[in-house]
Amino acid sequence: MASATTYTGPSAREMFESHTLSKEIIARADDAEPVLDASELALLKRYVTAPESKTEILEELGCIDGDGKVVTAKAQGDGSLVAYIMIQSVTGNDLLSDEDITELKTWFSKA
């Protein structure tokens, strides 16, 4: 889903550092400049609904091989912010807190 305008909100890095990513995703979901497009929102919903399935999801995306190792070129090159968040979680660097995941899960359940 292509946006007619260019995203001008805070960068992903800024949102990670300020712990505002989940709030920005929710606040901008119906905006002309959403943080995530429809396919990324669908992937995020799948992840926050069952965070324990992140490795399986990443395998399906080709970001983790059959041995559970991150396929670096694929992980960095596909441009998926949600895949990046899951990869970081698999490697022990959770970018979304439990509170963020709960907030997103609740929001998705109401959508």
Side-chain angles (χ1 to χ4, degrees), residues 54 58 64 68 70 84-94:
K54 63 188 167 227
L58 288 168
I64 291 183
V70 174
Y84 177 76
I85 290 166
M86 288 188 288
I87 289 165
Q88 291 302 305
S89 180
V90 165
T91 63
N93 181 27
D94 290 314

Side-chain angles (χ1 to χ4, degrees), residues 20-46:
T20 59
L21 180 62
S22 62
K23 290 178 184 7
E24 289 287 334
I25 290 169
I26 293 167
R28 294 174 177 264
D30 294 322
D31 201 49
E33 298 177 357
V35 174
L36 301 176
D37 66 16
S39 65
E40 284 286 281
L41 281 173
L43 185 59
L44 181 63
K45 180 178 183 178
R46 188 172 170 207

Side-chain angles (χ1 to χ4, degrees), residues 55-97:
T55 301
E56 178 184 315
I57 295 168
L58 288 168
E59 284 176 352
E60 290 173 18
L61 295 173
C63 296
I64 291 183
D65 66 18
D67 296 324
K69 295 181 182 174
V70 174
V71 180
T72 307
K74 174 69 176 168
Q76 293 176 348
D78 80 354
S80 171
L81 180 59
V82 178
Y84 177 76
I85 290 166
M86 288 188 288
I87 289 165
Q88 291 302 305
S89 180
V90 165
T91 63
N93 181 27
D94 290 314
L95 297 174
L96 293 177
S97 68

